[in-house]
Amino acid sequence: MTNEINQPIPASYLTIDKSTKESGFTMASDVLTCSLLRTLASSKPASRFLELGTGTGLSTSWILDGMDSNSTLISIDNDEKFLNIAHKYLDQDKRLKLVLSDGENWVKSNLGQKFDYIFADTWHGKYLLLDEVLEMLNRGGLYILDDMLPQPNWPDGHQEKAVKFVKYLESRSDLFVTKQHWATGIIIAVKK
């Protein structure tokens, strides 16, 4: 098995990647994770998708590429500079709603919404407000995380936080959890 993507890359990905590098954004999802996000998105026709942590829209472009025409994606980020890159290249896709908001404020204001696929790529929905976000996940819905293996940009003490988080996920009786020691460290959970 190689760490290459031998399938078509979404049309917007390369231009977003170039702008991402020029912007100085260093927390983008890697291409292997993005490929998995697209594959999993394609398994959820006519579904509601949520991405917590748009960044510049790299992973967003792959999720959109896997979604069908009857699905919708809400993607949240709190950094206008980086979110503007996603707007520039992805706004033409009518299935997508990009939202500039603090993650905590958005989650607390939208607790009644339900989703079939949640990619939690920021603190809110992962280390903060986890229970609230998992309540937003429909039965059979996918909850996806990356960056669960040690990363160079992790602050001191983050390894312990990640280990505690994974133990908590595995202790929940309402989820089937699979950990993958691949890419940046992927966790996929399905709501029972």
Short mmCIF file of all heavy atoms in Angstrom, two decimals, residues 36-77:
data_model
loop_
_atom_site.label_atom_id
_atom_site.label_comp_id
_atom_site.label_asym_id
_atom_site.label_seq_id
_atom_site.Cartn_x
_atom_site.Cartn_y
_atom_site.Cartn_z
N LEU A 36 -10.23 9.92 1.86
CA LEU A 36 -11.15 9.13 2.68
C LEU A 36 -12.45 9.88 2.91
O LEU A 36 -13.53 9.29 2.85
CB LEU A 36 -10.49 8.77 4.02
CG LEU A 36 -11.37 7.99 4.99
CD1 LEU A 36 -11.74 6.62 4.43
CD2 LEU A 36 -10.68 7.86 6.34
N LEU A 37 -12.36 11.18 3.16
CA LEU A 37 -13.57 11.98 3.37
C LEU A 37 -14.49 11.91 2.15
O LEU A 37 -15.71 11.80 2.28
CB LEU A 37 -13.21 13.44 3.67
CG LEU A 37 -12.53 13.69 5.01
CD1 LEU A 37 -12.01 15.12 5.09
CD2 LEU A 37 -13.46 13.38 6.17
N ARG A 38 -13.91 11.98 0.96
CA ARG A 38 -14.71 11.88 -0.27
C ARG A 38 -15.36 10.50 -0.39
O ARG A 38 -16.55 10.39 -0.70
CB ARG A 38 -13.84 12.15 -1.49
CG ARG A 38 -14.60 11.95 -2.80
CD ARG A 38 -13.82 12.33 -4.02
NE ARG A 38 -12.63 11.50 -4.20
CZ ARG A 38 -11.73 11.72 -5.15
NH1 ARG A 38 -11.87 12.73 -5.98
NH2 ARG A 38 -10.68 10.93 -5.25
N THR A 39 -14.58 9.46 -0.13
CA THR A 39 -15.11 8.10 -0.23
C THR A 39 -16.28 7.91 0.73
O THR A 39 -17.33 7.36 0.35
CB THR A 39 -13.99 7.07 0.07
OG1 THR A 39 -12.96 7.23 -0.91
CG2 THR A 39 -14.52 5.65 0.04
N LEU A 40 -16.11 8.35 1.96
CA LEU A 40 -17.18 8.20 2.95
C LEU A 40 -18.39 9.07 2.59
O LEU A 40 -19.53 8.66 2.80
CB LEU A 40 -16.66 8.54 4.35
CG LEU A 40 -15.61 7.57 4.90
CD1 LEU A 40 -15.05 8.08 6.22
CD2 LEU A 40 -16.17 6.16 5.05
N ALA A 41 -18.14 10.26 2.04
CA ALA A 41 -19.25 11.13 1.63
C ALA A 41 -20.09 10.46 0.56
O ALA A 41 -21.33 10.59 0.54
CB ALA A 41 -18.71 12.47 1.13
N SER A 42 -19.45 9.72 -0.33
CA SER A 42 -20.19 9.07 -1.42
C SER A 42 -21.10 7.96 -0.91
O SER A 42 -22.02 7.54 -1.61
CB SER A 42 -19.23 8.54 -2.48
OG SER A 42 -18.50 7.44 -1.98
N SER A 43 -20.89 7.51 0.33
CA SER A 43 -21.73 6.46 0.90
C SER A 43 -23.00 7.01 1.56
O SER A 43 -23.80 6.25 2.08
CB SER A 43 -20.94 5.65 1.94
OG SER A 43 -20.78 6.38 3.15
N LYS A 44 -23.16 8.33 1.53
CA LYS A 44 -24.30 8.97 2.19
C LYS A 44 -25.12 9.81 1.21
O LYS A 44 -25.08 11.04 1.23
CB LYS A 44 -23.78 9.87 3.34
CG LYS A 44 -23.15 9.13 4.49
CD LYS A 44 -24.21 8.40 5.27
CE LYS A 44 -23.64 7.67 6.45
NZ LYS A 44 -24.66 6.84 7.09
N PRO A 45 -25.89 9.17 0.33
CA PRO A 45 -26.71 9.94 -0.61
C PRO A 45 -27.83 10.69 0.11
O PRO A 45 -28.31 10.25 1.16
CB PRO A 45 -27.27 8.88 -1.56
CG PRO A 45 -27.22 7.61 -0.79
CD PRO A 45 -26.05 7.73 0.15
N ALA A 46 -28.22 11.81 -0.48
CA ALA A 46 -29.33 12.63 0.04
C ALA A 46 -29.18 12.87 1.54
O ALA A 46 -30.10 12.64 2.31
CB ALA A 46 -30.67 11.98 -0.29
N SER A 47 -28.01 13.34 1.94
CA SER A 47 -27.70 13.47 3.37
C SER A 47 -27.33 14.90 3.74
O SER A 47 -27.05 15.74 2.88
CB SER A 47 -26.55 12.53 3.74
OG SER A 47 -26.96 11.19 3.63
N ARG A 48 -27.30 15.12 5.04
CA ARG A 48 -26.87 16.41 5.60
C ARG A 48 -25.48 16.22 6.19
O ARG A 48 -25.27 15.35 7.02
CB ARG A 48 -27.84 16.88 6.67
CG ARG A 48 -29.24 17.14 6.10
CD ARG A 48 -30.13 17.88 7.07
NE ARG A 48 -29.65 19.25 7.16
CZ ARG A 48 -29.48 19.90 8.32
NH1 ARG A 48 -29.73 19.32 9.46
NH2 ARG A 48 -29.05 21.15 8.32
N PHE A 49 -24.54 17.07 5.75
CA PHE A 49 -23.14 17.00 6.14
C PHE A 49 -22.78 18.23 6.97
O PHE A 49 -23.27 19.33 6.70
CB PHE A 49 -22.25 16.98 4.90
CG PHE A 49 -22.35 15.71 4.08
CD1 PHE A 49 -23.48 15.42 3.33
CD2 PHE A 49 -21.30 14.81 4.06
CE1 PHE A 49 -23.57 14.26 2.57
CE2 PHE A 49 -21.38 13.64 3.30
CZ PHE A 49 -22.52 13.37 2.56
N LEU A 50 -21.88 18.04 7.94
CA LEU A 50 -21.37 19.13 8.76
C LEU A 50 -19.86 18.99 8.86
O LEU A 50 -19.35 17.90 9.14
CB LEU A 50 -21.98 19.07 10.17
CG LEU A 50 -21.44 20.07 11.20
CD1 LEU A 50 -21.74 21.52 10.79
CD2 LEU A 50 -22.04 19.77 12.58
N GLU A 51 -19.17 20.09 8.61
CA GLU A 51 -17.72 20.14 8.79
C GLU A 51 -17.43 21.24 9.80
O GLU A 51 -17.77 22.40 9.58
CB GLU A 51 -17.03 20.45 7.46
CG GLU A 51 -15.52 20.55 7.58
CD GLU A 51 -14.85 20.89 6.26
OE1 GLU A 51 -15.41 21.70 5.47
OE2 GLU A 51 -13.75 20.35 6.02
N LEU A 52 -16.82 20.85 10.90
CA LEU A 52 -16.43 21.81 11.93
C LEU A 52 -14.94 22.09 11.76
O LEU A 52 -14.11 21.25 12.08
CB LEU A 52 -16.74 21.25 13.32
CG LEU A 52 -18.23 21.01 13.59
CD1 LEU A 52 -18.43 20.17 14.84
CD2 LEU A 52 -18.96 22.33 13.71
N GLY A 53 -14.63 23.26 11.20
CA GLY A 53 -13.25 23.62 10.90
C GLY A 53 -12.99 23.59 9.42
O GLY A 53 -12.34 22.68 8.90
N THR A 54 -13.49 24.58 8.69
CA THR A 54 -13.32 24.67 7.24
C THR A 54 -11.86 24.89 6.86
O THR A 54 -11.38 24.33 5.87
CB THR A 54 -14.13 25.85 6.66
OG1 THR A 54 -15.44 25.84 7.18
CG2 THR A 54 -14.13 25.84 5.15
N GLY A 55 -11.17 25.72 7.66
CA GLY A 55 -9.84 26.16 7.25
C GLY A 55 -9.97 26.91 5.94
O GLY A 55 -10.79 27.82 5.80
N THR A 56 -9.20 26.52 4.94
CA THR A 56 -9.24 27.17 3.62
C THR A 56 -10.13 26.42 2.63
O THR A 56 -10.28 26.86 1.49
CB THR A 56 -7.82 27.28 3.04
OG1 THR A 56 -7.28 25.96 2.91
CG2 THR A 56 -6.92 28.14 3.91
N GLY A 57 -10.69 25.31 3.04
CA GLY A 57 -11.62 24.57 2.19
C GLY A 57 -11.03 23.37 1.46
O GLY A 57 -11.68 22.80 0.59
N LEU A 58 -9.82 22.97 1.82
CA LEU A 58 -9.22 21.81 1.15
C LEU A 58 -10.06 20.56 1.36
O LEU A 58 -10.47 19.90 0.40
CB LEU A 58 -7.79 21.59 1.64
CG LEU A 58 -6.76 22.59 1.11
CD1 LEU A 58 -5.45 22.46 1.87
CD2 LEU A 58 -6.54 22.37 -0.38
N SER A 59 -10.33 20.21 2.61
CA SER A 59 -11.13 19.02 2.87
C SER A 59 -12.57 19.22 2.39
O SER A 59 -13.21 18.28 1.92
CB SER A 59 -11.09 18.63 4.34
OG SER A 59 -11.48 19.71 5.17
N THR A 60 -13.05 20.44 2.47
CA THR A 60 -14.40 20.75 2.01
C THR A 60 -14.56 20.37 0.54
O THR A 60 -15.58 19.81 0.14
CB THR A 60 -14.69 22.26 2.18
OG1 THR A 60 -14.27 22.68 3.48
CG2 THR A 60 -16.15 22.57 1.99
N SER A 61 -13.54 20.69 -0.27
CA SER A 61 -13.63 20.39 -1.70
C SER A 61 -13.75 18.89 -1.95
O SER A 61 -14.45 18.46 -2.87
CB SER A 61 -12.42 20.97 -2.45
OG SER A 61 -11.22 20.29 -2.14
N TRP A 62 -13.09 18.08 -1.14
CA TRP A 62 -13.17 16.62 -1.31
C TRP A 62 -14.51 16.08 -0.83
O TRP A 62 -15.07 15.18 -1.46
CB TRP A 62 -12.04 15.95 -0.54
CG TRP A 62 -10.70 16.11 -1.18
CD1 TRP A 62 -9.87 17.19 -1.09
CD2 TRP A 62 -10.02 15.15 -1.98
NE1 TRP A 62 -8.72 16.96 -1.79
CE2 TRP A 62 -8.78 15.71 -2.35
CE3 TRP A 62 -10.32 13.87 -2.42
CZ2 TRP A 62 -7.85 15.04 -3.14
CZ3 TRP A 62 -9.40 13.20 -3.21
CH2 TRP A 62 -8.18 13.78 -3.56
N ILE A 63 -15.02 16.61 0.28
CA ILE A 63 -16.34 16.18 0.75
C ILE A 63 -17.38 16.48 -0.32
O ILE A 63 -18.20 15.62 -0.67
CB ILE A 63 -16.70 16.85 2.10
CG1 ILE A 63 -15.75 16.38 3.20
CG2 ILE A 63 -18.15 16.55 2.48
CD1 ILE A 63 -15.84 17.19 4.50
N LEU A 64 -17.35 17.70 -0.85
CA LEU A 64 -18.30 18.08 -1.91
C LEU A 64 -18.17 17.16 -3.12
O LEU A 64 -19.18 16.80 -3.74
CB LEU A 64 -18.06 19.53 -2.33
CG LEU A 64 -18.48 20.60 -1.34
CD1 LEU A 64 -17.89 21.95 -1.74
CD2 LEU A 64 -20.00 20.67 -1.22
N ASP A 65 -16.95 16.78 -3.46
CA ASP A 65 -16.72 15.92 -4.61
C ASP A 65 -17.37 14.54 -4.44
O ASP A 65 -17.77 13.92 -5.41
CB ASP A 65 -15.22 15.77 -4.87
CG ASP A 65 -14.90 15.34 -6.28
OD1 ASP A 65 -15.41 15.98 -7.22
OD2 ASP A 65 -14.15 14.37 -6.44
N GLY A 66 -17.50 14.09 -3.20
CA GLY A 66 -18.12 12.80 -2.93
C GLY A 66 -19.63 12.85 -2.74
O GLY A 66 -20.31 11.83 -2.84
N MET A 67 -20.15 14.04 -2.44
CA MET A 67 -21.58 14.19 -2.19
C MET A 67 -22.40 14.12 -3.46
O MET A 67 -21.93 14.52 -4.52
CB MET A 67 -21.84 15.55 -1.51
CG MET A 67 -21.39 15.64 -0.08
SD MET A 67 -21.39 17.33 0.61
CE MET A 67 -22.91 18.03 -0.01
N ASP A 68 -23.64 13.65 -3.33
CA ASP A 68 -24.54 13.68 -4.49
C ASP A 68 -25.27 15.02 -4.55
O ASP A 68 -25.13 15.86 -3.66
CB ASP A 68 -25.50 12.49 -4.48
CG ASP A 68 -26.56 12.55 -3.40
OD1 ASP A 68 -26.66 13.56 -2.67
OD2 ASP A 68 -27.32 11.57 -3.28
N SER A 69 -26.06 15.20 -5.60
CA SER A 69 -26.71 16.50 -5.82
C SER A 69 -27.84 16.77 -4.83
O SER A 69 -28.31 17.90 -4.73
CB SER A 69 -27.25 16.57 -7.25
OG SER A 69 -28.20 15.54 -7.46
N ASN A 70 -28.28 15.76 -4.09
CA ASN A 70 -29.37 15.94 -3.13
C ASN A 70 -28.87 16.13 -1.70
O ASN A 70 -29.66 16.12 -0.77
CB ASN A 70 -30.32 14.75 -3.18
CG ASN A 70 -31.02 14.66 -4.53
OD1 ASN A 70 -31.49 15.66 -5.05
ND2 ASN A 70 -31.06 13.48 -5.10
N SER A 71 -27.57 16.29 -1.52
CA SER A 71 -26.98 16.47 -0.20
C SER A 71 -26.60 17.92 0.02
O SER A 71 -26.46 18.70 -0.94
CB SER A 71 -25.74 15.59 -0.05
OG SER A 71 -26.10 14.22 -0.07
N THR A 72 -26.44 18.29 1.29
CA THR A 72 -26.01 19.64 1.65
C THR A 72 -24.88 19.55 2.68
O THR A 72 -24.80 18.59 3.45
CB THR A 72 -27.16 20.46 2.25
OG1 THR A 72 -27.67 19.79 3.41
CG2 THR A 72 -28.28 20.69 1.24
N LEU A 73 -24.03 20.58 2.66
CA LEU A 73 -22.90 20.66 3.59
C LEU A 73 -22.87 22.03 4.23
O LEU A 73 -22.88 23.05 3.53
CB LEU A 73 -21.58 20.41 2.85
CG LEU A 73 -20.27 20.71 3.60
CD1 LEU A 73 -20.12 19.86 4.86
CD2 LEU A 73 -19.07 20.50 2.67
N ILE A 74 -22.84 22.05 5.55
CA ILE A 74 -22.57 23.27 6.31
C ILE A 74 -21.16 23.15 6.84
O ILE A 74 -20.81 22.14 7.45
CB ILE A 74 -23.56 23.44 7.49
CG1 ILE A 74 -25.00 23.56 6.98
CG2 ILE A 74 -23.18 24.66 8.34
CD1 ILE A 74 -26.04 23.53 8.09
N SER A 75 -20.34 24.16 6.58
CA SER A 75 -18.95 24.14 7.03
C SER A 75 -18.67 25.42 7.81
O SER A 75 -18.93 26.52 7.33
CB SER A 75 -18.00 24.01 5.84
OG SER A 75 -16.67 23.82 6.29
N ILE A 76 -18.14 25.26 9.02
CA ILE A 76 -17.97 26.35 9.98
C ILE A 76 -16.49 26.63 10.22
O ILE A 76 -15.70 25.70 10.39
CB ILE A 76 -18.57 25.96 11.37
CG1 ILE A 76 -19.93 25.30 11.25
CG2 ILE A 76 -18.57 27.14 12.33
CD1 ILE A 76 -21.00 26.11 10.66
N ASP A 77 -16.14 27.91 10.26
CA ASP A 77 -14.79 28.30 10.70
C ASP A 77 -14.86 29.68 11.33
O ASP A 77 -15.74 30.48 11.01
CB ASP A 77 -13.79 28.29 9.54
CG ASP A 77 -12.37 28.07 10.04
OD1 ASP A 77 -11.75 29.03 10.56
OD2 ASP A 77 -11.89 26.93 9.94
#
